[in-house]
């Protein structure tokens, strides 16, 4: 037990006496300190003593589109942690192509008697999808919260990153480095976050250059590495010295496209991502990106949902969270000449 207490104390950054008080359920320990000791138990693989296992206040469903994009696990973890801190048990549902659909997950969650559901970048963010599914849930009295994708007319709180600010931060940064040929590589335009980024980008481009042709500097593909490679390649081949991407994965694809053409990032082409996914600071080069405030968004989504569960109606206005530009090594001053001026054309794939 002495070794176990010391291990836990070292991990939590507290004394062995404090660990002992927490494990024995004694009072006089600050909430944050107690949480640190419990986290140490989990990290080191120890079972929690029976007396520390609290009864769940209820079940909450959490539906995310997939786990390939690292920002979705980050959002899921933030929301799950906040729910657990508030005494609720999260039920995580992740989708994959050809697997269980959002509607099927909803039915299963309803069968489990969940008290509410948080939807992250779900069908609510797809303008081509019907919103009837959410109207039906609300007609059954189930509280829901929508994250990253405001659905007009749906009776639910919404939490999103401000996509207009994200694009503005990226453009200002690249313009300050002397870039004038800046392109946007973005995912399918039926998704609300993509539409908002494109609208902000086009408006800013027209302010800089009133003669710009709409769509001239935008390529829509998929929010994947392959999509970023195709879109980034097309933008580079048309003379763009900087590429703003709709996700970090797309940014990695754009970097791959530049290197496939014998170009250097950031000396020849600058690339900006979006999300600031875990581990993205350790890419080659470390990626300049716009960070989504994941923890603040997760906390706000949970607070809104639990208020609704308790019977307190939350305003239906969309909460927009201000992102942050994180400057790393994938952006640099614009090259003196177009990076592809003296290179043979390389196919970039379709839109």
């Amino acid at each position: 037990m002495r070794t176990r207490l010391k291990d836990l104390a070292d991990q939590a950054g507290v004394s062995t006496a404090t660990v002992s008080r927490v494990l024995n359920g004694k009072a006089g320990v600050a909430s944050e300190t107690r949480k640190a000791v419990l986290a140490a138990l989990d990290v080191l693989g120890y079972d929690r003593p029976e007396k520390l296992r609290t009864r769940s206040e209820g079940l909450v469903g959490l539906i995310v589109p997939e786990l390939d994009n690292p920002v979705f696990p980050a959002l899921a973890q933030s929301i799950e942690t906040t729910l657990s801190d508030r005494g609720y048990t999260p039920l995580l549902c992740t989708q994959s192509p050809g697997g269980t659909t959002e509607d099927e997950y909803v039915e299963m969650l309803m069968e489990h008697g969940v008290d509410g559901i948080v939807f992250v970048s779900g069908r609510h963010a797809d303008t081509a999808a019907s919103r009837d599914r959410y109207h039906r849930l609300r007609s059954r009295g189930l509280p829901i919260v929508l994250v990253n994708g405001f659905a007009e007319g749906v009776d639910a709180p919404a939490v999103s990153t401000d996509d207009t600010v994200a694009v503005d931060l990226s453009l200002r940064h690249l313009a300050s480095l002397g870039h004038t040929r800046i392109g946007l590589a973005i995912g399918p335009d039926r998704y609300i976050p993509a539409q908002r980024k494109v609208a902000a980008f086009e408006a800013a481009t027209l302010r800089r250059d009133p003669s710009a042709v709409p769509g001239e500097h935008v390529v829509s593909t998929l929010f994947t590495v392959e999509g970023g490679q195709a879109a980034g390649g097309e933008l580079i081949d048309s003379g763009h010295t900087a590429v703003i991407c709709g996700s970090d994965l797309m940014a990695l694809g754009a970097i791959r496209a530049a290197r496939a053409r014998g170009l250097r990032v950031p000396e020849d082409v600058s690339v900006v991502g979006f999300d600031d996914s875990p581990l993205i600071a350790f890419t080659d080069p470390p990626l300049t990106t716009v960070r989504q405030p994941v923890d603040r968004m997760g906390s706000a989504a949970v607070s809104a949902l639990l208020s609704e569960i308790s019977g307190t109606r939350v305003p239906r206005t969309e909460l927009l969270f201000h992102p942050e530009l994180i400057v790393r090594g994938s952006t640099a001053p614009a090259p003196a000449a177009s990076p592809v001026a003296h290179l043979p054309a390389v196919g970039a794939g379709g839109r």
Side-chain angles (χ1 to χ4, degrees):
M1 174 59 74
R2 225 178 265 118
T3 302
R4 174 176 169 177
L5 286 178
K6 186 177 186 309
D7 290 344
L8 291 169
D10 290 344
Q11 178 68 31
V14 300
S15 67
T16 54
T18 298
V19 172
S20 179
R21 293 186 68 84
V22 172
L23 295 182
N24 287 291
K26 293 183 178 180
V29 180
S31 174
E32 287 302 313
T33 302
R34 187 179 300 275
K35 189 186 302 182
V37 173
L38 295 179
L41 278 169
D42 296 338
V43 169
L44 297 178
Y46 293 122
D47 291 329
R48 294 188 184 186
E50 189 68 35
K51 66 182 70 174
L52 298 183
R53 299 176 188 173
T54 57
R55 183 179 181 277
S56 175
E57 295 289 340
L59 303 176
V60 170
L62 171 58
I63 302 179
V64 298
E66 38 94 355
L67 297 180
D68 290 338
N69 188 332
V71 76
F72 293 132
L75 275 166
Q77 183 172 15
S78 173
I79 293 170
E80 287 185 314
T81 299
T82 307
L83 282 168
S84 297
D85 289 345
R86 301 285 290 271
Y88 281 79
T89 300
L91 298 179
L92 176 62
C93 303
T94 61
Q95 301 172 70
S96 60
T100 306
T101 66
E102 179 179 294
D103 292 337
E104 290 168 339
Y105 272 132
V106 166
E107 288 306 313
M108 284 187 278
L109 290 171
M110 295 294 287
E111 290 172 5
H112 281 81
V114 294
D115 295 310
I117 301 177
V118 178
F119 293 90
V120 177
S121 300
R123 301 288 282 168
H124 64 276
D126 187 346
T127 58
S130 170
R131 307 281 173 66
D132 289 346
R133 52 178 53 88
Y134 305 111
H135 296 314
R136 287 194 296 270
L137 284 176
R138 292 299 297 126
S139 69
R140 294 163 72 173
L142 185 75
I144 63 174
V145 172
L146 311 177
V147 178
N148 276 344
F150 181 62
E152 188 74 41
V154 174
D155 181 28
V159 174
S160 302
T161 298
D162 194 323
D163 293 297
T164 298
V165 171
V167 169
D168 185 61
L169 289 170
S170 302
L171 284 170
R172 287 176 181 273
H173 171 61
L174 293 170
S176 73
L177 295 173
H179 292 275
T180 56
R181 292 282 295 175
I182 304 171
L184 176 66
I186 195 70
D189 58 11
R190 71 176 191 271
Y191 292 111
I192 292 170
Q195 291 179 358
R196 288 177 168 179
K197 287 185 177 70
V198 169
F201 180 86
E202 294 282 27
T205 299
L206 283 173
R207 285 195 298 271
R208 293 197 327 267
D209 178 12
S211 65
V213 178
E216 178 184 8
H217 305 288
V218 178
V219 179
S220 297
T221 53
L222 298 174
F223 285 113
T224 62
V225 172
E226 294 76 15
Q229 183 173 0
E234 187 170 335
L235 290 167
I236 291 169
D237 288 344
S238 57
H240 293 84
T241 62
V243 180
I244 298 171
C245 298
S247 72
D248 289 338
L249 293 183
M250 293 191 78
L252 297 181
I255 292 173
R256 181 191 289 177
R259 288 175 172 166
R261 288 156 174 75
L263 301 174
R264 300 163 299 165
V265 175
E267 292 85 354
D268 299 315
V269 179
S270 287
V271 177
V272 179
F274 177 77
D275 286 332
D276 195 30
S277 312
L279 303 181
I280 210 67
F282 304 100
T283 58
D284 179 25
L287 186 66
T288 293
T289 187
V290 177
R291 175 183 293 166
Q292 291 202 65
V294 166
D295 288 336
R296 289 191 291 127
M297 291 171 63
S299 178
V302 171
S303 293
L305 186 72
L306 298 191
S307 293
E308 293 278 321
I309 290 173
S310 69
T312 302
R313 181 178 173 83
V314 176
R316 289 337 190 216
T317 53
E318 181 182 23
L319 285 177
L320 289 175
F321 283 79
H322 201 295
E324 178 185 2
L325 178 70
I326 307 298
V327 178
R328 298 194 181 102
S330 65
T331 51
S338 171
V340 294
H342 305 294
L343 291 177
V346 178
R351 286 177 182 257

